[in-house]
């Protein structure tokens, strides 16, 4: 991997190659996602004056937070050579359980901050437990992650529909009013989802770069046998990646529930694909071995911005939104991968 | 818990009645009901009303038994229908086709075996297969909403529209809406797809609000989308500026209309209970000489604070 990158930098043409070997640090592989993001921001600002307004920036960042928080966890799973298709359904299920738990706690505890804190705890535990079940089936029972999480995706989706009896689970109205500021407000005018997203991203980046956990994930993803011989506790690390992702789904749910105060069978549909796409756009290798948390953050922002710009600009038929998204996603990846094709 | 039991109950009741058939004097009939599973609010309501109607009819007509199948996709629906015919010997089929094209020839095959066919909501792609067609009125749905906009807005007022999932059904509604406000001078600023989804509608409405300084009304075209729209408006602090018209008569929205919420002046029905109409008419046709073949289009009505009570079903999930 690293060798391939060095080669890529050397065969580079133009200013990069002419400069006295800055190598690796500045190449398209790293800059690709950032360039794409910068281009989108420039395009958005050009098309609409309100694009860079505080309100719109806040909106885009806050709505990116759910998938963003999940994508950070997904980066570790994919880096370790796994995949998790269940996160969207898991988020819906966790949201459903959280709402039911909070509604049930109103009777004994009343409409209070305590009820909400307990509800948040339920969300975290549900997410963690769901992630651990995935992890156990993959790491201990050794079933392919694709199959385990595909199965789990169906299970959580139908459990949510069943819990809601085909309709919508809604949080008690007064409790919702109390809980609402968790999505809409925050210190210094920055809403909580943005802060939590930033915190999760920073911690994730540190864990990936500087902590043994991140290195172990990359080692397992690159070559499981070698990792095993290098005394990496493969099963435990692999289990931990899914548990961490589950926990982060719980965190995302805590931010999601106060937004609309409801969950239904159509909550979180396709979040898993958006999260996976964001991770890959950011430069993480889908087959594992190399992960980049900040890249996933950039990837999520790219995906959200495309939607936002299409809505703000409405220059093309809305029927084509999906096509434009698809093209931009592929372009963002092509930008960073074109050097690799030569290897 | 509840719905599982009802499924079991329905299956059990059907088996019992079949087993006990010779003991009864009256002629026995089995009606198969195939509908999409409850993946979103409207289908949840539809499932609810289907079960209610079946329970009610089994009570009223002991000689009738029912097989209810809910399918997550068109392929499974075809399998379910084939199973009903092969193993349960149904006398009539009530079907809400998951998609028109893939279901057309399987339903045609059912019809060719001399089984009564009632098609609900989405028509088949070949006309004339069904004995009875029961549906909501999509054109009316758009028109009734459009008429309210035309009556209550001035020339030059601005509206934004949230569309559903791109389908012919959505097109029919939007075309009728556009035709109804035509000539009124109302200015449609923008139309985007909210996919009949709360979260998508929330995002789209947030962007509409960033983009347009002056919006006087929103046609959200669906109550799930209306919920997302209302939340986005209240986040932007622009509650007093505009009103919202949803559609389909979700109970939470109907309740707010009943309570006279100024942001939700009216709603337009597209009743999930149409499945009950279809099942009842099919049953009536079997047990009596009442003629029930033909087309039954359930009009889209305007729900206002005055009449909201009759559209409010607190027990339904939708």
């Amino acid at each position: 991997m690293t060798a391939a990158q060095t080669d890529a930098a050397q065969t580079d043409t133009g200013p990069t190659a002419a400069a006295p070997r800055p190598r690796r640090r500045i190449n398209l592989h790293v800059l690709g996602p950032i360039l794409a993001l910068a281009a989108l921001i420039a395009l958005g600002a050009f098309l609409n004056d309100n694009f860079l307004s505080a309100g719109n920036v806040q909106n885009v960042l806050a709505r990116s937070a759910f998938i963003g928080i999940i994508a950070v966890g997904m980066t570790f799973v994919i880096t370790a050579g796994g995949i998790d298709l269940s996160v969207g359904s898991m988020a819906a299920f966790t949201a459903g359980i959280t709402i039911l738990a909070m509604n049930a706690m109103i009777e004994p505890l009343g409409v209070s901050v305590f009820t909400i804190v307990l509800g948040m705890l339920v969300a975290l535990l549900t997410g963690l437990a769901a992630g651990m079940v995935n992890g156990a089936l993959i790491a201990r029972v050794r079933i392919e992650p694709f199959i385990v999480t595909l199965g789990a995706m169906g299970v959580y989706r139908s459990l949510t529909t069943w819990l809601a009896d085909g309709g919508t689970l809604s949080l008690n109205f007064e409790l919702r009013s109390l809980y609402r500021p968790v999505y809409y407000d925050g210190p210094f005018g920055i809403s909580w989802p943005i802060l939590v997203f930033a915190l999760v991203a920073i911690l994730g980046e540190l864990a990936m770069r500087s902590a043994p956990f991140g290195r172990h994930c990359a080692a397992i993803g690159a070559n499981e046998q070698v990792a095993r011989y290098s005394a990496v506790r493969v099963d435990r690390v692999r289990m931990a990646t899914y548990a961490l992702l589950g926990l982060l789904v719980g965190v995302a749910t805590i931010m999601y529930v106060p937004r609309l105060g409801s969950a239904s069978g159509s909550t979180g549909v396709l979040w898993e694909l958006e999260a996976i796409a964001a991770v890959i756009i950011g430069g993480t290798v889908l087959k594992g071995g190399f992960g980049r948390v900040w890249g996933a953050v950039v990837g999520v922002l790219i995906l959200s911005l495309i939607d936002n710009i299409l809505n703000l600009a409405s220059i093309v038929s809305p029927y084509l939104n999906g096509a434009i998204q698809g093209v931009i996603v592929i372009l963002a990846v092509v930008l960073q991968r074109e050097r690799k094709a030569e290897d | 818990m509840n719905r599982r039991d009802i499924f079991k109950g329905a299956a059990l009741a059907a088996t019992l009645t079949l087993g006990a058939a010779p003991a009864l004097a009256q002629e026995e009939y089995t009606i198969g009901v195939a509908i999409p599973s409850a993946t979103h609010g409207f289908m949840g309501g539809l499932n609810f009303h289907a079960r209610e109607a079946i329970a009610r009819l089994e009570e009223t007509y002991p000689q009738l038994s029912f097989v209810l199948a809910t399918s997550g996709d068109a392929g499974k629906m075809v399998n379910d229908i084939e199973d009903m015919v092969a193993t349960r010997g149904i006398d009539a089929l009530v079907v809400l086709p998951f998609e028109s094209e893939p279901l057309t020839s399987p339903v045609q095959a059912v019809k060719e075996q001399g089984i009564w066919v009632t098609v609900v909501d989405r028509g088949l792609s070949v006309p004339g297969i069904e004995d009875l067609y029961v549906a909501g009125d999509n054109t009316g749905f758009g028109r009734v909403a459009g008429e309210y906009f035309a009556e209550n807005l001035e020339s030059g007022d601005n509206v934004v529209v949230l569309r559903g999932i791109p389908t012919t059904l959505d097109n029919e509604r939007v075309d009728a809406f556009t035709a109804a406000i035509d000539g009124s001078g109302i200015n449609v600023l923008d139309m985007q797809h909210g996919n009949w989804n709360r979260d998508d509608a929330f995002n789209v409405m947030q962007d509409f609000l960033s983009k347009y300084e002056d919006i006087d009304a929103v046609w959200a075209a669906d109550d799930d989308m209306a919920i997302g729209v209302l939340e986005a408006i209240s986040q932007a602090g622009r509650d007093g500026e505009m009103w919202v018209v949803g559609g389909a008569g979700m109970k939470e929205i109907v309740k707010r209309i009943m309570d006279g919420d100024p942001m939700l002046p009216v709603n337009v029905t597209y009743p999930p209970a149409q499945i009950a109409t279809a099942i009842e008419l099919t049953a009536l046709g079997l047990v009596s000489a009442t003629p029930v073949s033909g087309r039954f289009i359930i009009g889209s009505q305007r729900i206002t604070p005055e009449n909201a009570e009759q559209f409010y079903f607190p027990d339904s999930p939708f």
Side-chain angles (χ1 to χ4, degrees):
Chain A
M1 181 66 232
T2 320
Q5 261 179 282
T6 319
D7 287 349
Q10 279 164 348
T11 52
D12 218 329
T13 51
T16 323
R21 299 243 164 173
R23 307 205 342 183
R24 249 194 307 165
R25 289 283 157 226
I26 308 166
N27 63 18
L28 275 176
H29 196 152
V30 175
L31 283 184
I34 297 179
L35 285 178
L37 184 64
L40 276 175
I41 292 174
L43 178 72
F46 169 73
L47 287 172
N48 193 303
D49 295 339
N50 288 324
F51 178 72
L52 290 176
S53 68
N56 190 52
V57 172
Q58 177 106 242
N59 284 349
V60 172
L61 289 176
R63 73 172 78 142
S64 307
F66 315 132
I67 305 220
I69 291 168
I70 293 172
V72 169
M74 188 68 84
T75 308
F76 288 92
V77 168
I78 292 181
T79 302
I83 190 98
D84 192 336
L85 301 173
S86 67
V87 290
S89 318
M90 198 192 283
F93 177 68
T94 310
I97 293 285
T98 308
I99 289 171
L100 287 176
M102 283 191 183
N103 284 347
M105 282 187 289
I106 291 175
E107 191 73 28
L109 296 173
V111 176
S112 67
V113 177
F114 189 56
T115 312
I116 290 173
V117 172
L118 274 183
M120 289 176 168
L121 211 59
V122 168
L124 292 179
L125 288 176
T126 310
L128 182 65
M132 285 178 79
V133 171
N134 279 347
L137 287 170
I138 291 160
R140 310 261 184 244
V141 190
R142 297 185 191 285
I143 311 174
E144 283 295 323
F146 189 92
I147 295 302
V148 170
T149 57
L150 184 70
M153 171 169 108
V155 169
Y156 294 129
R157 180 68 59 205
S158 354
L159 281 177
T160 312
T161 309
W162 176 70
L163 283 175
D165 200 15
T168 303
L169 292 164
S170 297
L171 192 60
N172 171 285
F173 186 75
E174 284 138 50
L175 200 57
R176 159 107 213 289
S177 312
L178 193 63
Y179 193 3
R180 200 173 174 275
V182 172
Y183 181 82
Y184 293 96
D185 295 340
F188 317 115
I190 303 169
S191 67
W192 283 111
I194 302 177
L195 292 175
V196 174
F197 179 23
L199 186 69
V200 167
I202 291 167
L203 291 178
E205 180 64 26
L206 288 176
M208 184 61 90
R209 272 173 183 250
S210 316
F213 180 62
R215 289 197 295 274
H216 290 173
C217 287
I220 295 172
N223 189 323
E224 194 183 325
Q225 289 308 322
V226 172
R228 212 177 280 279
Y229 292 136
S230 316
V232 174
R233 303 180 72 169
V234 172
D235 292 352
R236 236 172 76 174
V237 172
R238 185 164 282 161
M239 174 100 186
T241 58
Y242 290 95
L244 173 69
L245 178 53
L247 187 69
L248 289 176
V249 168
V251 174
T253 309
I254 289 177
M255 303 290 132
Y256 173 81
V257 170
R259 183 164 86 168
L260 296 174
S262 66
S264 71
S266 58
T267 297
V269 169
L270 293 186
W271 281 12
E272 59 280 344
L273 287 189
E274 282 193 43
I276 293 169
V279 170
I280 305 307
I281 292 171
T284 298
V285 179
L286 183 55
K287 62 181 196 295
F290 177 76
R292 199 192 270 152
V293 171
W294 66 262
V297 173
V298 173
V300 169
L301 294 180
I302 290 177
L303 290 177
S304 303
L305 280 180
I306 298 173
D307 269 337
N308 182 241
I309 291 173
L310 287 172
N311 283 340
L312 285 181
S314 51
I315 35 175
V316 289
S317 157
Y319 292 143
L320 287 173
N321 282 3
I324 291 168
Q325 274 172 339
V327 168
I328 294 179
V329 166
I330 294 171
L331 274 183
V333 179
V334 166
L335 259 181
Q336 51 170 298
R337 295 291 157 90
E338 67 184 344
R339 300 288 163 213
K340 279 179 70 191
E342 295 162 14
D343 299 343
Chain B
M1 195 55 69
N2 198 9
R3 62 191 279 221
R4 258 196 193 158
D5 287 347
I6 284 170
F7 281 143
K8 268 188 209 151
L12 192 67
T15 329
L16 285 177
T17 351
L18 273 182
L24 292 163
Q26 275 172 305
E27 198 168 352
E28 299 275 320
Y29 297 106
T30 306
I31 300 177
V33 180
I35 52 178
S37 49
T39 45
H40 61 270
F42 178 80
M43 282 303 167
L46 193 113
N47 276 262
F48 169 83
H49 287 290
R51 295 194 314 257
E52 291 264 290
I54 288 174
R56 196 168 55 237
L57 286 166
E58 280 178 335
E59 185 102 344
T60 319
Y61 305 113
Q63 72 270 38
L64 285 184
S65 54
F66 291 86
V67 193
L68 175 67
T70 60
S71 327
D73 59 72
K76 179 158 185 304
M77 181 173 267
V78 172
N79 296 347
D80 287 342
I81 291 173
E82 285 170 357
D83 289 350
M84 280 177 192
V85 175
T87 63
R88 305 300 298 273
I90 54 170
D91 302 285
L93 173 69
V94 179
V95 58
L96 197 167
F98 205 98
E99 288 165 56
S100 301
E101 295 291 334
L103 262 302
T104 297
S105 62
V107 173
Q108 191 160 25
V110 172
K111 176 66 197 161
E112 280 160 8
Q113 296 179 45
I115 295 167
W116 175 280
V117 172
T118 302
V119 172
V120 188
D121 196 30
R122 292 173 207 167
L124 298 170
S125 29
V126 175
I129 297 174
E130 68 272 4
D131 298 280
L132 170 63
Y133 178 66
V134 177
D137 181 4
N138 284 307
T139 309
F141 182 89
R143 194 191 61 239
V144 171
E147 283 167 358
Y148 183 81
F149 278 70
E151 286 162 24
N152 288 276
L153 290 173
E154 307 283 319
S155 175
D157 280 348
N158 295 320
V159 301
V160 291
V161 173
L162 283 94
R163 305 187 55 163
I165 294 170
T167 46
T168 43
L169 185 157
D170 186 58
N171 292 346
E172 280 174 23
R173 292 177 174 185
V174 173
D175 291 346
F177 176 83
T178 315
I181 60 169
D182 192 38
S184 64
I186 297 171
N187 186 14
V188 178
L189 294 172
D190 213 332
M191 292 193 182
Q192 289 284 344
H193 291 278
N195 304 323
W196 292 316
N197 176 297
R198 291 183 183 197
D199 292 311
D200 292 356
F202 177 82
N203 291 348
V204 169
M205 192 61 205
Q206 273 191 332
D207 292 345
F208 280 164
L209 289 165
S210 307
K211 194 173 169 187
Y212 301 109
E213 293 292 318
D214 177 27
I215 301 174
D216 299 295
V218 183
W219 187 42
D222 173 78
D223 288 337
D224 268 316
M225 292 205 285
I227 300 253
V229 165
L230 288 168
E231 201 53 64
I233 295 172
S234 108
Q235 180 204 12
R238 289 167 68 172
D239 298 276
E241 293 177 28
M242 63 196 87
W243 42 262
V244 179
V245 174
M250 181 193 282
K251 65 179 175 187
E252 288 85 359
I253 297 281
V254 176
K255 182 76 175 55
R256 286 173 69 169
I257 292 173
M258 257 161 80
D259 298 344
D261 190 325
M263 287 191 73
L264 288 165
V266 294
N267 200 280
V268 183
T269 60
Y270 190 82
Q274 59 183 273
I275 189 71
T277 314
I279 298 174
E280 296 266 4
L281 284 176
T282 307
L284 191 63
L286 283 179
V287 299
S288 72
T290 315
V292 292
S293 60
R295 296 167 61 81
F296 193 113
I297 306 301
I298 298 160
S300 286
Q301 288 165 282
R302 189 190 287 183
I303 304 178
T304 61
E306 291 73 38
N307 69 5
E309 200 150 355
Q310 68 190 88
F311 298 99
Y312 183 57
F313 305 105
D315 297 333
S316 162
F318 184 67

